[in-house]
Amino acid sequence: MTDEQGEESPDRPEDRPEGESPNDPDPADGPGGRDVVVPLRMYKTVTVFSTLIAIVSILAGFFLLDRGTQRATASLEEINLPLVAVALALIVGGSAVYAFSTRFRTAGMGKPKDETDERSDNG
């Protein structure tokens, strides 16, 4: 079977390279195909709210961690383990929200590293 460019495309599972599924992102779609191009208004909304959620989660996590360990003065028997577990989950969750929010970009923002339409000199 051929695609739009007239190239052979594997349509049967045995014709595909091992471990590749038909839904795998194309490696040419940016760095690992992880960037999500969105309209500017959505980018601003995602950036504002994900940053807000990340900051509040991380601060709340450190606050709860401080309470659970009694300002790091509690002995091992006095530590409130469920509170400390929630605190660590909030810190990790807030970090993950921020990390994943950096995947969003608008059409005019940066280019994948493999595109070389512009000259590399600044002079």
Side-chain angles (χ1 to χ4, degrees), residues 42-101:
M42 182 181 284
Y43 171 78
K44 288 180 179 181
T45 303
V46 167
T47 302
V48 166
F49 286 108
S50 63
T51 303
L52 180 65
I53 291 168
I55 289 172
V56 168
S57 296
I58 291 171
L59 288 177
F62 277 111
F63 175 76
L64 292 177
L65 187 62
D66 198 35
R67 294 283 301 231
T69 60
Q70 298 171 6
R71 295 192 175 212
T73 60
S75 66
L76 280 176
E77 295 82 28
E78 297 172 339
I79 292 176
N80 187 347
L81 288 178
L83 191 60
V84 169
V86 169
L88 293 176
L90 280 171
I91 293 170
V92 169
S95 301
V97 166
Y98 183 75
F100 286 121
S101 73

Side-chain angles (χ1 to χ4, degrees), residues 14-29:
E14 59 268 20
D15 293 339
R16 284 188 211 105
E18 188 174 332
E20 183 181 311
S21 75
N23 297 329
D24 285 345
D26 186 6
D29 291 344

